[in-house]
């Protein structure tokens, strides 16, 4: 995913240009060009024009964020919580406008996808972050009173958030989980909008700005830029004023940003590509093969396959029912219409991936599934390859096909399944369907350790598409699904840790300690590890 999302910026600036939010004010951008959103259902360009910011805009935002951070760091968690809750309330008040804008920019259904699923998830995340901010539990205070040593986490500094194209609300740069986690850590956010939904981002930013006023937080706590030349983005994530960056998008874009941030020693948290393997064992097929076919088709075609947890590779162990499963899935793929893809870049990327996978030796099983007549759309594609061929070049068959496509690997037996599992690259998820009567347990026990090391979330007997907003959730995994296997983008308070530093106080006088490390912290509900024992204030 390029910084411009495949859009061609116009060279001309005019009076219709939308303002950026910098240093607490909506003002005209110092722009190098502009772009417009596109309705993916009609391929028509929107009227509103959004700026591509010059470095001077970024520089001003970084200065303002640094100033805001100094003030936020000194505020009690209650003040941060008040903003997050006020923002959630503002979003609910603007629900109709947000849903309409996102529908026009993504093609997603107003209901249930946007209004009934993604928007409530977004406000729920913000309120969970508010709860964490209020209790300060994310700081994980540890006290060793005998040695007079104390440590806890604090915010790392200004955070750059670059959101994806496929979740305009729940993962949006100025509304999603990364945003909520950074704010809960007392870190100001510079949000870089995704060009697939600039108007939606603008509406969120306006709501956040109103909530900042209501809560009395520094107005530079939330700043928004719509786009920039890739070279400016690389410079931004490496700037000394940046504490950390969170990026959700393509492997190519993520690795370019990571290289720039790594050179400068700046933390960057990436969510990139993932094939999310699903192993279907013979006993499960024998028990409920038709049911599994329905589950798989529903999961892989949901939202036209544009989920980072989309089950892209099925490892199907040969048995009497295997062919019936493949035939049923192919028929359902052919019968279902091709969905609306988010933009031209997604359509091109999907076509290139399918061509590459089939060019490596996979067979295309589907013949129909007509694409939408006006939208960015492609027919549903089901591919198949044998286990021997997969093992000869596993990297080529694990190319992510972001969209409504999937690959079935025909595995000869349990031994070959274990061998294939040993070649699976890092994924956000891995799933195993097995017999309820225990007939597949020996095979499960053989492959579980292999899959466990290659995914962030291991599932049994359910598709991976849903990502629950829960403290126990891990939405992360080994490379290339993310840039670091030890962190999650979903699951408060754990996700907050990405945007923190670990502060240690050695023999510091009591009156100089932060309140969460004091002998009597005075923060309700705060859990602390005191001399090896967990205690709650």
């Amino acid at each position: 995913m390029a910084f411009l999302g495949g859009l061609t910026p116009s060279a001309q600036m005019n009076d219709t240009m939308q303002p950026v939010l910098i240093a607490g004010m909506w003002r005209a951008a110092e722009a190098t060009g502009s772009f417009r959103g596109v309705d993916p259902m009609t391929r028509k360009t929107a009227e509103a024009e959004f700026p591509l910011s010059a470095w001077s805009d970024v520089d001003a935002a970084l200065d303002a964020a640094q100033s805001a951070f100094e003030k936020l760091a000194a505020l009690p968690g209650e003040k941060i919580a008040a903003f997050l809750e006020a923002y959630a309330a503002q979003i609910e008040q603007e629900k109709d406008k947000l849903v309409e804008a996102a529908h026009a920019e993504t093609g997603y259904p107003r209901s249930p996808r946007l209004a009934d699923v993604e928007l409530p998830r977004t406000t729920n995340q913000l309120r969970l972050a508010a709860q964490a901010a209020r209790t300060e539990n994310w700081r994980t205070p540890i006290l060793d009173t005998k040695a007079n040593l104390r440590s806890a986490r604090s915010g790392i500094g200004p955070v750059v958030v670059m959101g994806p194209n496929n979740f305009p609300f729940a993962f949006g740069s100025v509304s999603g989980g990364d945003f909520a986690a950074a704010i809960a850590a007392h870190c100001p956010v510079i949000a870089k909008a995704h060009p697939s939904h600039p108007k939606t981002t603008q509406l969120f930013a306006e709501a956040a700005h109103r909530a900042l006023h209501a809560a009395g937080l520094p107005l530079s706590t939330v700043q928004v830029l719509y786009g920039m030349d890739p070279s400016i983005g690389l410079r931004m994530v490496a700037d000394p004023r940046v504490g950390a960056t969170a990026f959700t998008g393509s492997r190519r874009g993520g690795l370019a940003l990571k290289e720039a941030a790594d050179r400068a020693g700046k933390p960057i948290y990436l969510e990139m590509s993932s094939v999310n393997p699903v192993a279907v064992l013979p006993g499960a097929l024998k028990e409920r093969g038709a049911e599994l076919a329905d589950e798989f088709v529903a999961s892989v075609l949901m939202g036209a396959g544009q989920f980072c947890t989309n089950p892209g590779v099925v490892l199907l162990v040969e048995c009497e029912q295997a062919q019936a499963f493949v035939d049923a899935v192919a028929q359902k793929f052919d019968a279902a219409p091709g969905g609306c893809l988010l933009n031209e870049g997604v359509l091109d990327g999907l076509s290139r991936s399918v061509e590459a996978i089939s060019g490596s030796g996979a067979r295309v099983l589907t013949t129909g599934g007509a694409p939408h007549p006006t939208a960015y759309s492609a027919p549903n594609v089901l591919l198949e390859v044998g286990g021997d061929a997969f093992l000869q070049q596993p990297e080529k068959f694990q190319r992510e096909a972001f969209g409504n496509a999937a690959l079935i690997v025909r595995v000869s037996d349990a031994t070959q399944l274990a061998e294939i599992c040993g070649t699976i690259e890092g994924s956000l998820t891995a799933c195993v369907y097995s017999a309820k009567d225990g007939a597949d347990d020996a095979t499960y026990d053989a492959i579980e350790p292999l899959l466990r090391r290659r995914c962030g979330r291991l599932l049994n007997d359910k598709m991976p598409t849903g990502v629950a907003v829960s403290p126990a959730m891990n939405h992360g995994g080994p490379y290339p699904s993310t840039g670091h296997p030890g962190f999650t983008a979903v699951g408060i308070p754990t996700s907050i840790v990405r945007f923190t530093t670990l502060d240690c106080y050695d023999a510091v006088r009591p009156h100089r300690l932060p309140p969460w490390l004091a002998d009597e912290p005075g923060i309700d509900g705060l859990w602390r590890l005191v001399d090896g024992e967990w205690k709650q204030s």
Side-chain angles (χ1 to χ4, degrees), residues 73 75 136 139 141-143 151-154 186 503 505 513-518 521 523 526 528:
L75 291 178
E136 306 273 16
R139 295 188 185 275
I142 301 175
L143 286 69
S151 67
R153 295 193 172 275
S154 63
H186 297 233
D503 302 333
Y505 296 82
L513 292 169
W516 46 88
L517 289 178
I523 300 172
L526 176 64
R528 306 191 304 166

Side-chain angles (χ1 to χ4, degrees), residues 289-310:
E291 179 184 331
L292 298 191
D294 288 340
E295 285 186 32
F296 172 65
V297 172
S299 180
V300 77
L301 297 185
M302 183 187 300
Q306 297 169 116
F307 281 71
C308 45
T309 51
N310 191 47

Side-chain angles (χ1 to χ4, degrees), residues 296-306 310 329-341 347 350 354 363-372 376-383 401 403-407:
F296 172 65
V297 172
S299 180
V300 77
L301 297 185
M302 183 187 300
Q306 297 169 116
N310 191 47
V329 172
Q331 290 170 8
K332 294 176 187 298
F333 267 49
D334 277 335
C340 176
L341 299 172
L347 177 59
L350 176 61
V354 168
R363 184 165 63 99
V364 178
L365 301 179
T366 47
T367 59
H372 191 282
Y376 294 121
S377 183
N380 307 316
V381 179
L382 183 68
L383 302 107
N404 47 325
L407 173 69

Side-chain angles (χ1 to χ4, degrees), residues 3 19 37 59 83 109 168 184 200 250 280 305 319 356 383 402-403 472:
F3 289 103
D59 190 44
F83 161 69
T200 304
S250 71
V280 181
C319 62
L383 302 107
F402 185 72

